[in-house]
Amino acid sequence: MRYFIWFGYDGTQYHGWQIQPNGVTVQSELQRCLSLLLREDVDVVGAGRTDAGVHARRMAAHFDTEQSFDAELLAKKLNGLLHQDIAVYRIEPVDADKHARFSAIARTYYYYIHTRKDPFLRYFSLETHYQLDFARMNEAGSILLEYEDFGAFCKAGSDVKTTICHVTEAQWVQTSETTWYFKITANRFLRNMVRAVVGTLIEVGRGRMSLDDFRAVIEGKKRTLAGESMPAKALFLEDVIYPNSK
């Protein structure tokens, strides 16, 4: 029987989602606790890989087991075992062919910034004091929807077969006088892609890169042409979307 787990986590203390040989990860913690509760080795497959320090507000994963159990009770017990920085929202049975990674049709990330010192945002948002032209940054964001190859925003040395992604949304949203987030949705993302896109858009917002320059970065397909990668702490996987998902 296949089950989906919906959960979220503060990634500050973790070496990303995927199991690493020399570091604690979200996947390793979830597998450890599930295996203890079910008293069998459990492999958990996530909807994607978040890097070290990146957070997830709504992440999905699946696991297989022949055991029968009360899904609501198992979720409650999991929350009792897991650290406070990982929270399970629900566990539900799904069709055997539903795959957490390959069945997903889109992912949405938010990158948060604030333009005034705020002690309550320092761990989950990037403080910046540049004079940013958000209208121009949104113009640049819309350009992303015209392209499919985002090799310029892929971390050098990444083991990927293709740098093709289908971006369907990319915009800056203002939430207060001093707070913003960048929302981007695509069918898939390359390693470090969102943080590199944000760093390049900030170059546009500062007036250090024109819209034509931004296009040239995308068309150049070289990571060295794009802006710097922004800190992980302000990046959240906000949602994973499946066909007919609620």
Side-chain angles (χ1 to χ4, degrees), residues 66-184:
E66 296 301 319
Q67 294 192 42
S68 298
F69 55 82
D70 182 315
E72 186 175 348
L73 181 58
L74 180 61
K76 183 177 180 180
K77 288 182 176 180
L78 258 182
N79 279 324
L81 273 182
L82 289 163
H83 295 286
Q84 290 296 313
D85 46 19
I86 304 175
V88 173
Y89 306 141
R90 73 177 188 274
I91 298 175
E92 59 186 5
V94 295
D95 293 338
D97 61 349
K98 185 171 183 179
H99 194 284
R101 180 182 176 189
F102 299 125
S103 296
I105 57 175
R107 287 99 171 150
T108 295
Y109 281 89
Y110 285 7
Y111 193 92
Y112 294 86
I113 69 171
H114 55 288
T115 58
R116 182 180 65 196
K117 186 177 182 181
D118 188 325
F120 303 107
L121 296 177
R122 68 189 187 277
Y123 296 124
F124 302 108
S125 176
L126 175 68
E127 183 177 332
T128 177
H129 298 285
Y130 297 128
Q131 292 294 320
L132 297 175
D133 185 338
F134 284 97
R136 182 60 60 87
M137 290 160 71
N138 269 333
E139 287 185 67
S142 67
I143 291 173
L144 293 170
L145 278 62
E146 302 174 20
Y147 292 87
E148 293 184 337
D149 194 329
F150 295 100
F153 305 117
C154 183
K155 187 172 183 177
S158 296
D159 182 20
V160 292
K161 295 180 180 179
T162 177
T163 51
I164 300 298
C165 305
H166 300 292
V167 177
T168 55
E169 186 174 15
Q171 64 173 329
W172 288 91
V173 179
Q174 186 172 15
T175 53
S176 77
E177 183 180 349
T178 59
T179 56
W180 298 75
Y181 66 85
F182 176 63
K183 179 182 182 181
I184 183 167

Side-chain angles (χ1 to χ4, degrees), residues 13-18 20 22-29 83:
Q13 303 299 324
Y14 296 96
H15 288 73
W17 158 258
Q18 189 175 18
Q20 304 290 332
N22 298 308
V24 179
T25 68
V26 180
Q27 184 183 27
S28 65
E29 284 301 288
H83 295 286

